[in-house]
Amino acid sequence: MKSKNNALSRRRFIQSTGAVLAGFTILPNHVIGGMGHKAPSDKLNIAGIGVGGMGYRNLKNMETENIVALCDVDWKYANRNSFREWPTAPQYKDYRVMFEEQNDIDAVMIATPDHSHALPALMAMRQGMHVYLQQPLTHSIYESRVLTETARKYNVSTQMGNQGSSNDDIRKICEWIWAGKIGDITRVDAWTNRPIWPQESERPKKEMRIPKTLDWDLFIGPAEYRPYNEIYTPWNWRSWWDFGTGAPGDMACHVLDPAFKALKLEYPISVQGSSTPVNTESPPNAEMVTYEFPARDNLPKVAMPPLTVNWYDGGLLPPRPEELSEGEGMGNDSGGCIFHGTKGKIMCGSFSENPTLLPRSEMANVKQPERIIRRIPNAMNGGHEQDWIRACKESPENRLAPSSNFDYAGPLNEMVAMGNLAVRLQSLQRKLLWDGTNMRFTNIGSNDQLQILTSDDFEMIKGDPKFNREYTTQSAKQMAEELIRHSYRQGWEQI
C-alpha cells in the first residue's frame, strides 16, 4: 500500500496543469489516443480518484476492466468499500503522486467533491488518459470550457456521470420532439426536491482535530484554506460554496439534460436568479433561475424558436399543468421536467424517466416515431460507464462518442454553473446578459456593487424578537469574474 502526500513539488504540479488553465490553446506537440498500456486481456487499466462514495459505485460498474489504483484523501471513508473491494490496487491520497509513480494507467474515474474535479481530469487528459468524471463536470464555467477544449485536443474518450443521458427515455423525448409531436417548444420548466441536506449555513467557528485518516490539506485542494470541521466532509461538502455547487450541482445535470439535448441548446443569452437568503458561505435553501436562449437552427419537422428555461429547487415547483388530474403528481420523487409546445406538453421525471405526453390519455393513441438514436443497454445500471469503456477502446479516428462526452457535457455544465452565478449575483436586481463565447456578463459595470449576507441571527429578548442581519459589500464585476474563473490557492494556482 502506498501513501505519499504532497510529494510532488509545486513547480512540477504547475508545469503539469498550468499551461492549459492559463490558456488552453497552449498544448504540447504530442497527442496520445487510445489505450497506452494494454493488458494481456485487452482490458483497460482504470484508476479511481475519490472512491469512498459515488466513486465506488462507478468502479463497480467498471470492474469488467482492471482496477489498478485507488486514490482518496479520506482513507477511513474509502476503506468502507473500495479499499476492501480491490485490496491489491495501490492506494494513494494525492492523485499527483499517483500520476507520477504509476505508469500503467489508461483511464481514470473521478468522483471527488466538485471543487476538485477539474485539475485531476486535466492532468489525466494531458497524459493521454481517458476520463470518466462525475457530475457536475466542474465547479466553474471556465473549468468546464478548459476540459471541453482539452478533451478535444487530446482525442481521449470522456464521459460525465449523468447516467440518464444514456437511457432510453431521453432518446424517446428527443425523438418525440424532433418528430413534431408537441410542436415548437418555447418554455421548459425543471425542478428538483434538493437540497435534502442542510444549507444556508454560516461558517462554523469551532476548529476540530483533523482525523488521522484524512489529509485535510489535500481535501481543500485549490480552494481557500479553512480550519477543519466535521460538517464539511464526507458528503456534506456540497452545501458549501468553496467545495460544492448546491442543489443545481447535485441534480441539474440530470434534470436539465433532456432539455439541453432535445432542444439543441448551447449558451444562454441571459440569466436571472432569486432565492431564500444566500450568504457568503453556503447556497440557499430554495431558488429559482430563469435562462433565455436564442433561436437555434430549425429541424425538418420542428422549429427551434427562442426558449425560456425555468429552474426550481428546495421544494419550489413550477405552475401545475392544467392537463394533470387532481392528485396526480408531477415528475417523480426527486424532480422532473415539462416541455411546453405549441401543440402539447411532455413531462418526465429526473434522469428523463417515464416521459409522457400530457394529458396522459394522449399516450393511448400516440404513434411512436422512428428510432434514430442508438440505444445503450442497461444504461442506468452500468451501461453508461460501459459505453465509455467501449469508446476508450476504439481508435480516435473511428470512435463513437459516449452520450455525455465533454463536447456535450461541458456546455451543459456551463449552463448549470451559471445558475449558481445568477443566484449569487441577484442583489444587482437585473437580468444578466451573457456573452457565452467570451464567458462574461456584458451588463455588469465597474461601479456595480453587491450586497451579500454574512450573518443572520435571531433571538428572543424578554419576549420580543431581535433580528440581526449583517452584510458585506463587494464589487459585482470582480466577484462575477472570480465565480466564472476561480483563483486557486497557492501551490495549486495556474501560471
Side-chain angles (χ1 to χ4, degrees), residues 2-161:
K2 300 182 180 180
S3 173
K4 296 185 178 180
N5 304 311
N6 302 318
L8 198 62
S9 71
R10 172 173 174 264
R11 179 181 179 187
R12 294 199 67 176
F13 177 55
I14 291 174
Q15 288 174 343
S16 228
T17 62
V20 172
L21 283 171
F24 51 74
T25 57
I26 304 172
L27 296 168
N29 292 327
H30 68 281
V31 175
I32 304 172
M35 286 172 36
H37 310 281
K38 290 187 180 181
S41 60
D42 203 32
K43 293 183 177 182
L44 282 179
N45 289 343
I46 298 177
I49 304 174
V51 297
M54 187 64 192
Y56 168 70
R57 283 183 272 171
N58 290 142
L59 287 178
K60 284 293 290 181
N61 289 333
M62 298 174 184
E63 65 178 352
T64 54
E65 312 305 301
N66 301 316
I67 308 303
V68 298
L70 299 170
C71 181
D72 202 293
V73 300
D74 187 342
W75 278 22
K76 179 180 179 181
Y77 197 52
N79 196 51
R80 300 181 316 153
N81 40 48
S82 292
F83 284 2
R84 296 172 184 269
E85 188 80 20
W86 299 285
T88 62
Q91 298 167 6
Y92 301 87
K93 287 187 175 177
D94 191 333
Y95 60 81
R96 300 169 299 179
V97 176
M98 182 183 75
F99 286 146
E100 178 78 5
E101 292 190 352
Q102 201 153 335
N103 61 8
D104 62 343
I105 300 170
D106 298 312
V108 296
M109 183 289 306
I110 302 169
T112 58
D114 301 348
H115 75 298
S116 296
H117 279 189
L119 291 180
L122 177 64
M123 289 188 72
M125 289 189 290
R126 284 174 57 85
Q127 296 182 49
M129 299 174 191
H130 308 291
V131 174
Y132 184 100
L133 181 55
Q134 256 308 326
Q135 58 79 38
L137 195 71
T138 63
H139 199 258
S140 74
I141 290 172
Y142 180 78
E143 290 172 338
S144 288
R145 190 72 60 90
V146 169
L147 294 195
T148 301
E149 294 291 336
T150 303
R152 192 177 299 149
K153 292 287 185 180
Y154 281 88
N155 285 324
V156 291
S157 176
T158 56
Q159 182 89 301
M160 182 168 70

Side-chain angles (χ1 to χ4, degrees), residues 145-193:
R145 190 72 60 90
V146 169
L147 294 195
T148 301
E149 294 291 336
T150 303
R152 192 177 299 149
K153 292 287 185 180
Y154 281 88
N155 285 324
V156 291
S157 176
T158 56
Q159 182 89 301
M160 182 168 70
N162 56 333
Q163 61 269 38
S165 200
S166 289
N167 75 11
D168 285 3
D169 286 340
I170 196 171
R171 285 149 173 74
K172 186 182 296 184
I173 292 170
C174 290
E175 290 161 353
W176 283 353
I177 290 173
W178 298 343
K181 290 291 183 185
I182 63 169
D184 303 338
I185 298 168
T186 58
R187 186 180 113 209
V188 173
D189 294 329
W191 68 97
T192 181
N193 68 332

Side-chain angles (χ1 to χ4, degrees), residues 134-298:
Q134 256 308 326
Q135 58 79 38
L137 195 71
T138 63
H139 199 258
S140 74
I141 290 172
Y142 180 78
E143 290 172 338
S144 288
R145 190 72 60 90
V146 169
L147 294 195
T148 301
E149 294 291 336
T150 303
R152 192 177 299 149
K153 292 287 185 180
Y154 281 88
N155 285 324
V156 291
S157 176
T158 56
Q159 182 89 301
M160 182 168 70
N162 56 333
Q163 61 269 38
S165 200
S166 289
N167 75 11
D168 285 3
D169 286 340
I170 196 171
R171 285 149 173 74
K172 186 182 296 184
I173 292 170
C174 290
E175 290 161 353
W176 283 353
I177 290 173
W178 298 343
K181 290 291 183 185
I182 63 169
D184 303 338
I185 298 168
T186 58
R187 186 180 113 209
V188 173
D189 294 329
W191 68 97
T192 181
N193 68 332
R194 281 14 174 224
I196 53 176
W197 51 83
Q199 288 193 171
E200 240 171 67
S201 305
E202 296 177 23
R203 185 179 297 204
K205 297 178 181 179
K206 182 179 180 180
E207 180 177 358
M208 296 182 174
R209 184 186 300 273
I210 301 171
K212 292 181 179 179
T213 55
L214 172 67
D215 191 312
W216 178 240
D217 188 70
L218 288 177
F219 173 87
I220 292 286
E224 181 181 347
Y225 189 85
R226 65 176 66 196
Y228 170 77
N229 187 290
E230 65 184 9
I231 198 172
Y232 298 127
T233 185
W235 194 76
N236 202 46
W237 48 262
R238 68 177 65 256
S239 67
W240 301 93
W241 285 128
D242 278 4
F243 310 134
T245 46
D250 185 43
M251 288 300 293
C253 287
H254 300 301
V255 178
L256 293 173
D257 191 17
F260 204 84
K261 192 178 292 284
L263 300 178
K264 306 287 186 179
L265 300 182
E266 293 183 351
Y267 306 133
I269 56 175
S270 75
V271 64
Q272 188 165 12
S274 63
S275 72
T276 55
V278 57
N279 63 40
T280 54
E281 297 293 332
S282 180
N285 284 325
E287 58 198 337
M288 297 172 54
V289 178
T290 297
Y291 303 87
E292 291 181 339
F293 290 87
R296 286 85 60 216
D297 291 340
N298 293 337

